[in-house]
Each structure stands twice: as C-alpha cells, then as structure tokens.
Amino acid sequence: MAYPGYGGGFGNFSSQMPGMQMQMGQPMPGTGLGMLPGGYSGYPAYSAGYSPNAEPMWTYFTAVAGQDGEVDAEELQSCLTQSGISETYSPFSLETCRIMIAMLDRDYTGKMGFNEFKELWAALNAWKQNFMTIDQDRSGTVEHHELSQAIAVMGYRLSPQTLTAIVRRYSKNGRIFFDDYVACCVKLRALTDFFRRRDHLQQGFVNFIYDDFLQGTMAI
C-alpha cells in the first residue's frame, strides 16, 4: 500500500507515502521516488559535507544559528523572514515555525540543524508554488474549496468530513492565509509520517497506546 506524497506533482520533487486511514482517507498508489536512504520519503538525504559557497541558504542559517549549529523556533522564524521565502505573503508565525521543527526533529532536540533546514526549504518552496498556483490574484489567501484542491494535489485522499475539519481549523473569516496553509501542510506531513512509522504492515490502520498517541501528536 502506498501512502500519499508530501509534494504531489508540483515543485522539485514528488514522493510516495503510506495512506493515512484510521478512517481518515483512502490509499492512493504512489508513483514517486519512494523511500530514500537516510531521509524522508521523497526527500533526499543530505550529506554532512557541503560547501558553504554553494549554499545560498547557508548565509541565512548561520546568521541566526547558535554555537551548536542549530536553530530553535524563534531563530528559524528570523531565518525564514530574512531569507524572504514568504515574498509578498506574511512572515511565518512562531507557532508555524515550532511545528516545522517538530516535523523534522528526528533527534528530539527541539532544534533544527542545517541539513534539516535544507529539507524544510525544499518542502516550503514546493508548498509555496502550489499556493501561488491557487492564489492567482495574489491576495495572499485562498478559499475553502481551493485548500481542499491543494491537499488533493499533494496526494492526500481524505474524507469530506476530514477536509471540512481541516478547513475549519485553518481558515480565518472564510479565507486561508499563506501562513496557515503552510502550517496545515506541515501538520499533515508530520502526522502522516507519525502514523506511517507505526503502520508496519502498511494496512492503513494501527493500534495506539494512549500515551504514545499523546506524545506523538502533542509534539507536533
């Protein structure tokens, strides 16, 4: 069973991921890159060795990173704001930056290293491209049905009830802003990956111990 991809058919990558069921969606055959060694499904595993001169992101990252070479949520917020990745859209909120870190925090430090930052950067660019395709009038917001379309493009096949709940959670005055859209994308990816790691047989359902469920979902 293939799970929905993080990137779908847009951006610089596509992927293949398990389909979150827990009565939440329908599995969809994947056609992407599959699981790459050392990285997330559909995302390349970055080498520890890199040339700073070849990495335009390196300047943004090191400007705010501490001596440990990692950034916390506030530093990530500053880094992304200075990089201009949001362009004309509003900067990312601190809460969105927290869940960005949680999405890729494999060593549970509460911080993000440069390799993880590069992975995040690839995802953000793909999500932004998708948002800009929908936001044709450049208003900085999209409507309810457009968010549902964006989620489908990413490869998720969710029930109408789940889509309604997502739209209700991330809309403001009937519109979805870029920051909330990205927060939605991050949480979908993080929760799907949390589920996939426990769906060892890839059947679309798992049994959770209550404490394990709380630890996994409250951390995102």
Side-chain angles (χ1 to χ4, degrees):
M1 176 185 295
Y3 282 63
Y6 296 131
F10 61 91
N12 296 323
F13 56 88
S14 60
S15 63
Q16 176 177 325
M17 250 193 92
M20 216 171 158
Q21 280 204 357
M22 213 153 97
Q23 304 306 317
M24 291 180 67
Q26 298 299 321
M28 172 187 176
T31 57
L33 300 175
M35 181 63 71
L36 301 177
Y40 271 30
S41 175
Y43 282 78
Y46 293 107
S47 168
Y50 48 81
S51 170
N53 294 331
E55 300 290 353
M57 293 170 288
W58 176 246
T59 302
Y60 304 130
F61 185 84
T62 55
V64 298
Q67 293 183 349
D68 58 357
E70 295 187 323
V71 296
D72 59 20
E74 292 183 355
E75 291 167 336
L76 177 62
Q77 182 186 42
S78 175
C79 179
L80 293 175
T81 300
Q82 292 176 20
S83 74
I85 191 170
S86 298
E87 295 186 6
T88 58
Y89 298 129
S90 58
F92 296 114
S93 68
L94 185 59
E95 179 60 25
T96 299
C97 291
R98 287 193 184 106
I99 62 174
M100 286 178 184
I101 289 179
M103 177 182 71
L104 294 170
D105 189 14
R106 303 183 185 106
D107 54 3
Y108 304 104
T109 63
K111 294 185 177 183
M112 177 177 288
F114 182 62
N115 289 339
E116 295 165 329
F117 177 70
K118 290 173 67 176
E119 206 168 331
L120 172 66
W121 188 272
L124 287 177
N125 275 289
W127 289 329
K128 183 176 73 172
Q129 181 179 336
N130 191 26
F131 189 88
M132 292 175 65
T133 300
I134 301 170
D135 181 26
Q136 295 184 354
D137 61 358
R138 295 297 181 268
S139 67
T141 64
V142 297
E143 296 180 2
H144 292 186
H145 70 279
E146 292 172 325
L147 177 62
S148 299
Q149 292 171 2
I151 290 173
V153 167
M154 285 184 277
Y156 296 100
R157 295 293 179 264
L158 307 179
S159 70
Q161 294 83 358
T162 301
L163 285 171
T164 297
I166 290 174
V167 166
R168 188 183 303 118
R169 165 66 178 81
Y170 291 100
S171 64
K172 295 175 182 176
N173 298 320
R175 307 286 292 181
I176 294 93
F177 289 78
F178 180 62
D179 177 69
D180 291 315
Y181 161 79
V182 170
C184 174
C185 292
V186 171
K187 186 158 286 192
L188 268 176
R189 170 176 167 172
L191 287 174
T192 302
D193 196 61
F194 169 69
F195 188 95
R196 176 182 61 80
R197 289 196 300 268
R198 286 153 179 78
D199 185 15
H200 303 297
L201 299 179
Q202 297 193 16
Q203 294 177 328
F205 59 87
V206 296
N207 291 321
F208 283 104
I209 298 173
Y210 179 59
D211 193 58
D212 179 43
F213 172 78
L214 287 182
Q215 286 183 40
T217 56
M218 293 296 287
I220 299 170

